[in-house]
Structures are given as structure tokens and as C-alpha cells.
Amino acid sequence: MKKLLIILAFVIFAIPVSAQIKVTGTVTDNNGAPVPGVSVFVEGTMNATSTDLDGYYAIQAKDSDNLLFSCIGYENVIRAVGKGGVINVVMTESLESLEGVVVTGYQTISKE
């Protein structure tokens, strides 16, 4: 019985554990100014966050994951997490523009 428990303990601890690490960093534009509201996704999962007013973000990810940085008006950026816990990103402006904007107005009239 004792040998069985020892073997079982080795099997349990021999299973590779894919622990998540906390990844942090800042997102800036080409001029070095922080970019607030950038969506940061862990590809293939529902895990996401966004940058604060200073461009700072923090998210949990595995070292084998990729992070996708996305924001309107900027090109998407993909970075591998790897072993590092800090990933700073510089976003470049997108050259694409919106085709058109539709503005709809409503008016309320009160009868007296």
C-alpha cells in the first residue's frame, strides 16, 4: 500500500503544470503617449482586459499564449507572452478610414 501511494504521488507531480503568469505593460503610440482603451485579448480564450488612462494593462496568460492588442484607429498587434512578465507595445496608426458616418436625430414635440 505504501508503494502504491509513493507511485501515485510521483505520477501526480510528474504531470506538467501549465501555470498562468501575470503579464503587465503599457501601450503607447508612435509619439510615446499612452493609448487608453486598447483591448488586450489572450488569443483563443475569452480572457481580455483593456488599458487604463495611462495605457497600463494587466492580464493572466500562459507562457505559450499570444496577446492581441486592438484599438480603433490603430493597427492590431500580436505579441507572444514567452517567459517575460512585462510586454510594452507601440501601436501604429491605421491608414484605413471609415467610409461614412450616419447621424440620426430625433425630435420630441410636447402638446400643451
Side-chain angles (χ1 to χ4, degrees):
M1 183 69 173
K2 189 174 184 180
K3 287 182 182 181
L4 181 62
L5 289 175
I6 293 173
I7 292 172
L8 183 61
F10 280 122
V11 170
I12 291 174
F13 291 113
I15 297 173
V17 177
S18 181
Q20 291 195 349
I21 58 173
K22 182 177 181 180
V23 181
T24 61
T26 56
V27 179
T28 58
D29 62 8
N30 289 334
N31 300 324
V35 183
V38 175
S39 299
V40 182
F41 300 95
V42 177
E43 283 190 325
T45 69
M46 298 297 291
N47 193 8
T49 189
S50 62
T51 58
D52 63 8
L53 293 175
D54 297 322
Y56 177 81
Y57 73 93
I59 193 167
Q60 296 288 329
K62 297 177 187 173
D63 56 0
S64 61
D65 287 334
N66 290 325
L67 297 181
L68 170 66
F69 298 84
S70 175
C71 187
I72 294 175
Y74 294 94
E75 298 286 334
N76 290 346
V77 176
I78 298 175
R79 290 287 186 326
V81 173
K83 299 291 182 190
V86 176
I87 299 176
N88 295 321
V89 175
V90 176
M91 302 285 284
T92 57
E93 291 184 16
S94 175
L95 298 178
E96 296 179 20
S97 63
L98 298 175
E99 289 185 18
V101 177
V102 177
V103 178
T104 305
Y106 294 99
Q107 180 179 8
T108 58
I109 300 174
S110 62
K111 293 182 181 179
E112 294 184 22

